[in-house]
Structure formats: C-alpha cells, structure tokens
C-alpha cells in the first residue's frame, strides 16, 4: 500500500511537472509547436495555423488559421480563443469565446458540422467579406451565444445573434449600415431589432418566424423613394427568393416617402399597414391607411388625400377617403369586390374644372372601369363648376348639384339609372348658344322603369319642360316622352344637325311621343305621336347660285305626326315679308333615305328646293336644286 501510494504521488508530480513545463513553454518561442501538438492530440485535426501566442491566463491567439471542410477550406487572419476556468470538462474543451478575424468567402458559402470535442459558449466573426452569387457583403461582424449546427447544409449557426454589416449588395440593391439582433432558432426565430439604409430611406423594426414564414412586427420605412420602374425590378428580383419568405405584416409604417404605383404618384406619403396577410389582392386580409401631401393620377392632382381601408378575402372596405381635387373636396365610403363597387356615401363639394387642353381631360374612360355593377346609397355633388372649352360645342355648368339615393348606376357593364332617385340642378348652364338658369331635372327608376319625373329648364325668353318613361330591361315594353317648350332657341340646331340652311329664332312646341323599347329597329317601327310647333322671330340664311340670302320668317301651327315610325309634315307655309316658301315631309325612320323633308322657296316664279333630310352641310348651303 505504501508502495502504491508512492507511485500515485510520483505520477501526480510528473503530471504537474509536464503541465507546468507546457505552460512554461507557452510563454516562449515554443508556444506554436506546443499548441499544435495539443491540438493534434486533444483538439480538432481540421484546424491548422502558422503561429500561436499565449496570454495569461486562458487566452490563445492563432495566426493564419485554416479550417479544412469537406470540399474546401476557410482561412482567417487570426483566431482568438478564451478558455473557461474549467478548461476541459465532460470530454470537451470549454471555450468561453472564440473570435475569427479577417475572412473572405468566395463563390460557395461554407457548410459546418458542429464540433464534438469543443463546447463554444460564444462565437464571433469580425471583418467578414462574402462574394457569393448575387450577394456582396463587406465589413460583416456577428457574434452568436451558444451556437449550434443541426445539419450539414447549415452555414449560419443557431443561437442568440448580433450581426452588423457596412454594406450588402444583392442583385444591384444596396443595403447600408445593417444591424440585426435576433434569436436564430430551428423553429420560432425572432428578430428583436433590425435596421438598415435602403433606397435613400431608413428601415427599422422587428420580425417573428412561424411555420408559414416571417411576420414583420413594428417595421418602419422612412424617406423611401420608389418608382414603378424600381418596383417592377424588385418584383423580378424577389422571384428568385424562396417562396413565402415574408407572409404576414403585423405592423408596417412607410413615412415621408416618394412612391409610384402604376399611374399613381404619392408625394411625401405616410402609409400604415396592420395585420396584413401577403396573398393575391382578393385573398388578402388586413388594414391600410394612407396620407400624402399630394397624389397624381390621370393627370389629376389630389391634395392631401387620406385613405382608410380594411381588406378581407374577396372584399375591400373603404372606411373613408377624402381629398381636395379641382379646388374642391371629394369624400367617399363603401366597398369594392372584383365585380362590384358599392359606395355608401359619395360627396363632392366646390369643385372647379376647366377643360381647355388635352392634359385637362382624364384619360380613363368610364367603360374601362372593371366593375360590372356600381351602386351609390347617398350621392351629393354641391356647388360645382364645370367648363369645357376644348371643342365645340362649348358647354358649362355653374352652381351644379346632384343629389341621389339608393342608386344603381351600372348593371351588367351598362351605365344608366337602373335604380334609385336622382335630382340635378344648376344655377347656370349652357351648351353652345343654348343657355338656362336655375334648371332642375328629377328622375327615378323603380322596378326597372326609368322615369323623367321633371325636367324644367328656364330659358332667356321662355322655358323647356319634359317628362317621360323608359323601360330599362324588358323589350317590347312601352315608353313615352312629353315635351313643352316656350322660347326655345333654334341656333343649337345648326350645331347638332347637318342642315343646308342656317337657322335662328325661337320656337314654342308641345310634343308627345311613345313607342316600344328594345333594339333600334323596334324603336323606329313603333315610334308614334305628334308635335305642334310655332316658330317666331326666325331668320333663315340660304345660299343659292353663290348668292347668300337672309330671310326673316315664321311658322304657325307646324304639325309633325309619327305613326309606327312614319313621319309626316303636311305642306305648311313659311311666313315672311318677302318670303314665299313651304315645308313638307314624309319618310319612314326604318328607311328614311327614300323619303323627303323639303323646304321649297319661290322667288319671282323660280323655285328652289332645299333637301333637309339628305343634306350633308354644317354651314349654309353651297349648292341647291331648282325645280319648276
């Protein structure tokens, strides 16, 4: 027993002497071979280095270390290792911290297998440069607490990580001053905070990972500048990313940014998105609010637009939209589906529109609207002024107002008043030389029958009144129209009809017509009714044999009858001081070219017939036909 104890003590003394000798050699020029010998004996044979330095008590620096991987190797400038007080425990070297400094990775990202004979509590990499496919990153630093590699294809370890990069380029996109604090895990990873500069803006926020993908949490993008061209480029670039990288937005704020989406440009815009699932538009769920200093769309400038919408699959609810446009204000609320626009409220107040140049006219046609059905519960347009001076006939509406309730304005892609009540009024209105003031028009549709309940247009020397009905759906259904006019000017006829004479003056008329609705042929075949007209203070400008003649005229009791599309005017004298003329007509609307509408003027036993039905002149006639 005494002999065994002596052997044990001797072995312990020898071990102490060996360890002391090794530690002693670590502070000499023999440090490098000693560390290499220890690494080959107890460490990782994949690691090699050119020089080793020891710093008391537990710090070792390796110069130009290289780690051999399956098909490649990684070389660094330095590797610093800080051992734990329990240097070797549980068959593993206990390392408090390991720092790799100065590394460049080209073409292929390395794949690691977690070492079995090292327990690393903190891993750090400084001055990393990556040049791989479309990614270039410089001045990359990261550190990971309790790093783990779970499979061979993994190059970034799992663990609590802080990462920074001076610059990252990806397919031409630059991300500067990147900072990330995250808990990188096999499942349920979280990014506690990130920030970077991109497209002249600053992006900050947090993110959480779920089985379906990443969710953005409290993300803010400030001072971005994105045009439609850039967005198209990004969409093309994003197609190369793994599918469904980001699938949900918990909260995203885009602030003070210049944005362009299609034909819409937003200046100094603020956009807030909440609880948004990233799917196709009509499968998306979430909330969005928007404000901008101004927006441009269809050559129109919208001042301080505010938008608040809620999305559920198949439907977009417009909680509120308000903007200043054309010196007035527009406000609306409602909902949108792929086939239907339903506005609960549509208000316009005080707009001023002057159409003088091509740029003043929106290029979007109403027929281009995608919705087959358009409904408006409450419509109010107040104190509007609209002036069109681009082409004749010029027209204007001043003090214009529209009020409507429960309106269906488009059905099966056809515009019209399909349902509801609507009232129109104007303090002043004109088209060409036809002027009216304090005009009122009231119409409605009930059970698919459109009714012109009241149309009253005061004129300078009289008035115009009309009432009528028109079926909107069923063919072979009767319609009717009744017109009364006093002091109706004739001048507009020269703009609207191609007549071989030029007319001015006034007319009184009382007309009632009816027929069956349907296609144009049915309407022409069934038009019936009559009109009684008197014309006074008339002036007729005629041209014959290169001679222009101006004749005052009047007509008493001009009778126009329609019987199933056959129009007739009996020979009716046209009265004038020096005028001997008469008007007559007989033609069928179905084949009006075979009929006639003539005015015959007799002067000194010579008659001139003016064919009013077949003439194709917009000015006083340049030729005429004489009959005996």
């Amino acid at each position: 027993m005494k002999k065994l104890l002596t052997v044990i003590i001797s072995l312990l003394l020898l071990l102490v002497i060996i360890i002391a000798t090794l530690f002693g050699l670590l502070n000499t020029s023999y440090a490098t071979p000693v560390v290499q010998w220890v690494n080959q004996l107890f460490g990782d044979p994949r690691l090699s280095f050119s020089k080793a330095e020891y710093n008391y008590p537990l710090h070792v620096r390796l110069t130009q270390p290289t780690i051999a991987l399956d098909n490649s190797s990684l070389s660094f400038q330095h590797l610093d290792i800080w051992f734990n007080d329990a240097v070797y425990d549980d068959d593993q070297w206990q390392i408090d911290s390991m720092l790799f400094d100065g590394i460049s990775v080209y073409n292929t990202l390395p794949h690691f297998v977690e070492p079995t004979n090292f327990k690393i509590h903190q891993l750090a990499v400084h001055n990393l440069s990556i040049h791989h496919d479309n990614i270039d990153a410089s001045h990359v630093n990261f550190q990971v607490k309790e790093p783990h590699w779970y499979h061979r294809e993994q190059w970034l370890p799992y663990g609590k990580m802080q990462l920074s990069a001076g610059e990252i380029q990806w397919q031409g996109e630059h991300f500067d001053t990147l900072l990330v604090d995250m808990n990188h895990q096999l499942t349920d990873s979280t990014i506690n905070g990130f920030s970077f500069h991109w497209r002249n803006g600053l992006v900050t926020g947090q993110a959480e990972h779920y089985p379906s993908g990443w969710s953005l949490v409290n993300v803010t993008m400030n001072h971005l500048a994105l045009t439609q061209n850039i967005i198209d480029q990004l969409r093309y670039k994003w197609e190369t990313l793994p599918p469904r990288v980001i699938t949900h937005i918990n909260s995203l704020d885009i602030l003070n940014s210049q944005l362009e989406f299609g034909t819409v440009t937003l200046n100094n815009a603020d956009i807030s998105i909440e609880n948004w699932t990233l799917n196709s538009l009509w499968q998306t769920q979430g909330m969005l609010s928007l404000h901008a200093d101004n927006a441009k769309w269809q050559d129109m400038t919208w001042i301080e637009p505010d938008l608040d919408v809620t999305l559920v699959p198949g439907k977009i609810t417009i909680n509120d939209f308000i903007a200043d446009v054309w010196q007035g204000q527009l406000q609306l609320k409602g909902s949108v589906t792929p086939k239907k626009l339903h506005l609960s409220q549509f208000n316009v107040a005080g707009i001023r529109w002057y159409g003088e140049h091509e740029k003043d006219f929106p290029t979007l046609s109403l027929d281009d609207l995608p919705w087959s059905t358009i409904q408006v519960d409450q419509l109010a347009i107040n104190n509007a002024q609209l002036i069109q001076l681009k082409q004749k006939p010029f027209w204007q509406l001043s003090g214009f107002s529209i009020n409507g309730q429960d309106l269906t304005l488009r059905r099966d892609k056809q515009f019209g008043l399909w349902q509801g009540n609507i009232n129109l009024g104007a303090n002043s209105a004109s088209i060409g030389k036809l002027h009216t003031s304090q005009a009122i028009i009231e119409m409605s549709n009930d059970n698919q029958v459109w009714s012109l309940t009241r149309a009253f247009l005061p004129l300078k020397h009289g008035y115009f009144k009309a009432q009528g009905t028109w079926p909107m759906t069923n063919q072979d259904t009767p319609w009717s129209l009744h017109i009364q006019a006093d002091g109706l000017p004739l001048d507009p006829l020269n703009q609207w009809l191609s007549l071989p004479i030029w007319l001015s003056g006034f007319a009184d008329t009382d007309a009632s017509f009816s027929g069956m609705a349907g296609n144009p042929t049915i309407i022409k075949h069934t038009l019936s009714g009559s009109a009684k007209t008197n014309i006074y203070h008339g002036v007729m400008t005629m041209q014959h044999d290169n001679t222009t003649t101006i004749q005052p005229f009047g007509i008493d009791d001009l009778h126009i009858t329609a019987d199933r599309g056959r129009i007739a005017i009996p020979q009716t004298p046209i009265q004038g001081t020096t005028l001997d003329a008469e008007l007559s007509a007989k033609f069928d609307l179905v084949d009006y070219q075979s009929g006639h509408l003539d005015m015959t003027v007799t002067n000194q036993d010579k008659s001139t017939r003016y064919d009013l039905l077949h003439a194709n002149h917009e000015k006083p006639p340049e030729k005429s036909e004489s009959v005996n």
Side-chain angles (χ1 to χ4, degrees), residues 269-302:
D270 296 338
I271 300 177
S272 180
I273 297 174
E274 296 183 11
N275 196 26
W276 192 285
T277 56
L278 296 180
N279 291 311
S280 61
L281 177 62
W282 297 110
Q283 295 299 320
T284 296
Q285 179 170 316
M287 294 176 288
L288 180 146
S289 61
L290 178 151
H291 174 81
D293 285 354
N294 62 75
K296 292 185 178 180
W297 174 71
Q298 297 287 331
D299 293 323
M300 299 166 58
T301 300
W302 304 72

Side-chain angles (χ1 to χ4, degrees), residues 202-237:
L202 175 62
V203 182
T204 63
Q206 299 88 41
E208 298 176 344
H209 189 264
Y210 298 95
S212 59
W214 283 93
S215 173
L216 301 182
V217 181
N218 299 326
V219 174
T220 300
M221 300 180 176
N222 208 338
H223 292 99
L224 285 183
L226 296 177
T227 65
Q228 183 60 50
N229 184 47
I230 293 174
I231 293 173
D232 291 339
Q233 294 177 20
L234 293 175
R235 186 180 294 114
Y236 172 77
K237 296 172 182 178

Side-chain angles (χ1 to χ4, degrees), residues 24-297:
L25 292 174
L26 287 175
N27 292 288
T28 69
S29 58
Y30 295 100
T32 298
V34 169
V35 175
Q36 289 175 335
W37 177 75
V38 173
N39 179 63
Q40 289 294 323
L41 201 61
F42 302 104
D44 192 335
R46 297 177 301 174
L47 174 65
S48 62
F49 49 89
S50 62
K51 182 181 178 181
E53 300 175 58
Y54 169 73
N55 294 305
Y56 182 82
L58 297 171
H59 175 214
V60 176
R61 162 169 281 201
L62 307 180
T63 301
Q64 295 181 343
T66 298
I67 299 177
L69 303 176
D70 291 344
N71 297 314
S72 61
S73 62
L74 286 178
S75 297
F76 305 84
Q77 293 181 3
H78 295 98
L79 170 59
D80 289 270
I81 302 174
W82 287 267
F83 287 92
N84 189 271
D85 291 339
V87 177
Y88 193 84
D89 185 37
D90 196 19
D91 295 328
Q92 288 182 312
W93 292 96
Q94 300 297 315
I95 299 175
D96 278 347
S97 182
M98 180 178 288
L99 169 62
F100 293 89
D101 189 13
I103 177 176
S104 295
V105 177
Y106 295 91
N107 299 326
T108 303
L109 295 176
H111 297 155
F112 294 96
V113 176
E114 187 167 354
T116 58
N117 50 354
F118 287 92
K119 176 62 177 178
I120 305 172
H121 296 281
Q122 179 169 288
L123 173 67
V125 176
H126 286 182
N127 299 317
L128 168 65
S129 296
I130 300 175
H131 309 280
H132 171 68
D133 290 341
N134 295 314
I135 298 177
D136 285 282
S138 59
H139 304 294
V140 178
N141 303 310
F142 71 86
Q143 61 181 22
V144 185
K145 293 183 178 180
E146 308 298 336
H148 291 287
W149 289 265
Y150 291 107
H151 51 81
R152 297 180 64 86
E153 299 301 318
Q154 180 183 347
W155 65 274
L156 189 65
Y158 293 110
K160 294 183 178 179
M161 178 185 302
Q162 289 81 42
L163 183 147
S164 67
E167 180 183 14
I168 297 178
Q169 296 185 41
W170 172 70
Q171 294 191 352
E173 295 298 316
H174 292 259
F175 305 87
D176 300 320
T177 321
L178 172 67
L179 297 173
V180 179
D181 179 5
M182 67 180 298
N183 187 7
H184 185 212
Q185 299 297 329
L186 189 61
T187 59
D188 301 331
S189 295
T190 58
I191 299 178
N192 302 313
F194 67 84
S195 68
F196 57 87
H197 289 85
W198 174 64
R199 290 288 178 182
N200 300 323
L202 175 62
V203 182
T204 63
Q206 299 88 41
E208 298 176 344
H209 189 264
Y210 298 95
S212 59
W214 283 93
S215 173
L216 301 182
V217 181
N218 299 326
V219 174
T220 300
M221 300 180 176
N222 208 338
H223 292 99
L224 285 183
L226 296 177
T227 65
Q228 183 60 50
N229 184 47
I230 293 174
I231 293 173
D232 291 339
Q233 294 177 20
L234 293 175
R235 186 180 294 114
Y236 172 77
K237 296 172 182 178
W238 289 338
E239 288 178 353
T240 64
L241 292 174
R244 300 183 65 81
V245 173
I246 300 175
T247 59
H248 181 263
I249 297 175
N250 180 273
S251 176
L252 170 64
D253 293 316
I254 303 174
L255 307 175
N256 308 308
S257 297
Q258 305 297 115
L259 305 173
E260 183 180 310
F261 305 100
T263 59
V264 178
T265 300
L266 302 175
N267 296 310
N268 198 27
D270 296 338
I271 300 177
S272 180
I273 297 174
E274 296 183 11
N275 196 26
W276 192 285
T277 56
L278 296 180
N279 291 311
S280 61
L281 177 62
W282 297 110
Q283 295 299 320
T284 296
Q285 179 170 316
M287 294 176 288
L288 180 146
S289 61
L290 178 151
H291 174 81
D293 285 354
N294 62 75
K296 292 185 178 180
W297 174 71

Side-chain angles (χ1 to χ4, degrees), residues 419-608:
Q419 187 65 40
N421 303 285
I422 192 167
N423 300 329
L424 300 88
N427 293 336
S428 174
S430 66
I431 179 168
K433 295 184 178 181
L434 181 62
H435 297 264
T436 181
S437 59
Q438 306 303 320
I440 298 174
I441 298 176
E442 299 175 356
M443 62 183 76
S444 64
N445 190 318
D446 188 19
N447 294 323
Q448 308 304 319
V449 176
W450 174 83
S451 298
L452 179 62
T453 309
R454 181 188 184 197
F456 183 74
L457 283 68
L459 306 174
K460 184 176 181 180
H461 299 287
Y463 64 87
F464 175 89
K465 296 196 302 182
Q467 290 178 310
T469 61
W470 184 270
M472 297 291 289
T473 54
N474 297 324
Q475 296 186 4
D476 302 330
T477 304
W479 62 269
S480 64
L481 177 64
H482 182 216
I483 296 174
Q484 288 181 296
D486 186 3
L488 184 68
L490 301 179
D491 296 74
L493 294 177
N494 301 302
Q495 296 174 329
W496 300 335
L497 302 177
S498 296
L499 297 175
I501 59 176
W502 197 271
L503 298 174
S504 65
F506 301 93
D508 298 340
T509 187
D510 190 337
S512 294
F513 293 98
S514 62
M516 304 298 287
N519 58 47
T521 301
I522 294 176
I523 296 172
K524 293 176 182 178
H525 267 301
T526 60
L527 176 66
S528 299
S530 64
K532 179 180 180 182
T533 302
N534 298 318
I535 297 176
Y536 57 94
H537 299 321
V539 176
M540 183 187 309
T541 302
M542 302 171 288
Q543 186 172 342
H544 179 62
D545 293 337
N546 296 321
T547 300
T548 300
T549 303
I550 300 176
Q551 288 280 2
F553 78 98
I555 301 178
D556 291 333
D557 295 330
L558 174 64
H559 288 274
I560 303 173
T561 60
D563 182 15
R564 297 183 180 274
R566 296 182 291 271
I567 309 300
I569 300 176
Q571 288 187 344
T572 303
I574 302 176
Q575 304 166 354
T577 305
T578 60
L579 181 66
D580 183 7
E582 63 180 17
L583 180 70
S584 65
K586 190 174 184 181
F587 59 90
D588 194 325
L589 290 176
V590 177
D591 184 21
Y592 69 92
Q593 294 288 349
S594 62
H596 71 90
L597 172 59
D598 298 334
M599 182 182 72
T600 303
V601 179
T602 303
N603 187 8
Q604 297 179 354
D605 298 327
K606 183 179 180 181
S607 295
T608 303

Side-chain angles (χ1 to χ4, degrees), residues 318 332-335 341-346 375-378:
I318 306 171
L332 61 86
K333 299 178 180 180
S335 62
L341 173 64
H342 185 181
L343 300 179
S344 60
Q345 178 181 325
F346 185 88
Q375 295 178 326
V376 182
D377 294 342
Q378 294 291 331

